[in-house]
Amino acid sequence: MTDPTNSNTDAAAPMAARSSMPGREPSSLFRFEYAPALESTAVVSLQPSYGLFIGGRFVKPKNGGSFVTINPATEAPLAQIALADEADVDAAVRAARRAFRSWSALAGKERAKYLYRIARVLQERGREFAVLESMNGGKPIKESRDVDIPLAAAHFFHYAGWADKLEYAFAGRTPQPLGVAGQVIPWNFPLLMAAWKLAPALACGNTVVLKPAETTPLTALLLAEVMQEIDLPPGVVNIITGAGATGAALVGHKGIDKVAFTGSTAVGKQIQSAIAGSGKRLTLELGGKAANIIFEDAAIDQAVEGIVNGIYFNQGHVCCAGSRLLVQESVAELVVSRLLRRIETLRVGDPLDKNTDVGAINSQAQLDKIRCLVQAGVAEGATLHQSAWPLPDKGYFFAPTVFTDVAQSHRIAREEIFGPVLSVLTFRTPDEAVQKANNTPYGLSAGIWSEKSSRVLWMAEKLRAGVVWANTFNRFDPTSPFGGYKESGFGREGGRHGLAAYCQFAEDQAGAST
Amino acid sequence: MSIDVRKTYKLYVNGAFPRSESGRTYPVNNSRGRLVANAVLGSRKDLRDAVIAARAAQNGWAKRSAYNRAQILYRVAEVMQGRREQFITELRHGVSAAAAEREVDATIDRWVWYAGWADKFAQITGASNPVDGPYFNFTVPEPVGVVGVVCPDDAPLLAFVSRVAPCIVSGNTCVVLASERWPLASVTLGEALATSDVPGGVVNILTGRRAEIVPWMAGHADIDTIDLTGCAGDRALVVTAEQAAAASVSRVVHATPREAQWANESSQSPYTIGSFVEYKTVWHPKGP
């Protein structure tokens, strides 16, 4: 028997499982040939090696350690990246501390101008950032070009405008910066997550030490070059590269006042525990296992597009991905058959091809994790369906996957897979949909598909999730607060609510005037 | 002359007044060291029972209209006013008559103040967000769920209400560990809650040792937020509790220095209500 999870070598093998679905048509009917439309990499000029961005300069790590960052679509090395140890973290925190006094004293309208400059340069150099993002992270160029980079620029632009209006953000309170923020971000939206972290922190007058993810450091380092280009005062933003140990040294450093982390729930728990009693402020944006709920009165074709966007956007490397499909029994067969037909048309392959819908899995480790959980799904008795799209010979790829006959107790229904793998469950009544959707320790996002507005609002109220998308999915905006309930973390990013994570208030102190 | 019928101070869980399943009590002395009463020495099992009651009551309480919750909190003030002398008598075990009167009056006022926020809080903290695209996008505060509240010994009745009123006004339910040193007025407050149309399970009151209860309260997976205000000054307990809270990513809250100036009206704040809420953002397309 062929291993169904080894998508690279035998994509056609799982066809046997698929053929049991009623209403299936041969996938060749939906296969269109396209000439490759490769985005040029000429806009990117990579250096052979990168140092740490501390105090406004690129410096060598004190112990000289380094690691290689690769292109996950080709497994080819891209550059040598400095590995920051505790001494480097300390240097970065000190640089941020030195910069804090003048940065926090700078008039808000002047801080705003720096943030506006960053937004503008991100727009100007948008194609360069998009190509680099796709090279280093594996995401399709159409996503990095149309989503990641424009949203990152918009985020800086939005918070730039807050910098001189903070007095209006909190009625009856006088916001003040916290000090130095230590920020640790994930590999799924490298530049966008940097923007989400940096923009509100800087707008409120904090200085920052940012650690990008081990596998995707390059756009953060290019952003560091932008900080130089726009003459941001040295030390206001420091960017240090490394893996888990570097992040642990940063959040544990005594010189930081605030920790912001986006990543897995397991690491979030470690961080929350590690800083217990320290008085450091903390916001966590962690994992998810979102329910995407399709009612029988939904616009089915739109819902199918929403399902695809919910789970295959960015290869499913999305904390708020709609990874559990809850579909009403009466339309389950119809929805699943159209979904399986649709995934055959998703073009999997070179992230730099403008026609590509699903790019490369971010790393070998993540590919291994996805394969492991897909194997668990098969072993626990769920039915596997996979796109027959041929996968490239090199690089880390995984075919768009759907599991039917999934029980709530299956690992694939409970654990965050963080890959292009959808688990389909069914329900009969709205109450049952609510119960199943909320039956998870996570609570980041949820989707509702129904043409009945009273049902949409009723569901939106009942779902225990920080973001609810009704008749849409995976939408983001700088003005829209984002963050989780329960074990998906706490704190919000975006909009006025996102400012609170980076302020303290004069009125909270004892003896403040009444 | 008639002999007084002395009161048995018990727990208040799920709208009833049980003793501890552990059968334990501890002596509560007045400020001169004389025994006043035996309070219940609550156990981990009592805590778990209280959390079950709080969880069961949460949906129904949150589903009440804001207007209804406002009236119920106001009703607590009415009932407390009628029992004013009793609360003063109980607080007098620890403070002067004048101080006890001030504390009871301030406590009643605090219920009234927070009652009025029930139907206003969402208006000042929610938002309609102007996103880039054809979507209606709004953000609303929602109760976090079940809250564990650890009360301080300072101003035992007023501090209790200063934390619990902003906690429940948005629709949370709670398990409250009363002041360890001065628990009696808190137990009597349970009687006021029980006769104020506050549904059983919305406020559950435990008495006992912080060191025994708090680590388990913080680590309880069905407690969404833990308010460690009563642990101020016990750094080791704070560290233990915050580490325990991390196991289920529970939110940890401490009263700010200003909030802890209990007797000062400026310590009350809508931002205290904000310590016990989540923000939910909903997107919906717009189109003809």
Side-chain angles (χ1 to χ4, degrees), chain A residues 170-171 173 269 272 277 460-461 463-466 468 470-471 475 477 480-481 485-486 489 492 497 507-508 514, chain B residues 125 132 135 137 139 142-144 235 242 246-247 249-251 257-258 261 266 271 278-285:
Chain A
F170 306 95
R173 279 174 140 186
K269 288 177 177 179
Q272 189 180 355
E461 193 175 81
L463 294 169
R464 300 293 291 161
V468 176
N471 295 321
R475 300 285 160 197
D477 191 272
S480 178
Y485 283 29
K486 302 196 283 186
R492 292 293 176 267
H497 294 81
E507 290 76 13
D508 285 345
T514 55
Chain B
T125 58
D132 179 8
Y135 297 95
N137 176 300
T139 300
E142 291 191 341
V144 68
R235 190 181 141 70
E242 291 194 357
V249 199
S250 293
R251 294 93 176 99
R258 166 136 139 183
Q261 292 194 315
S266 70
Y271 294 105
E278 300 277 11
Y279 290 97
K280 175 185 281 177
T281 298
V282 180
W283 295 67
H284 197 284

Side-chain angles (χ1 to χ4, degrees), chain B residues 218-237:
Chain B
H220 197 300
D222 217 16
I223 283 185
D224 301 294
T225 293
I226 176 102
D227 179 354
L228 294 176
T229 295
C231 302
D234 188 345
R235 190 181 141 70
L237 185 57

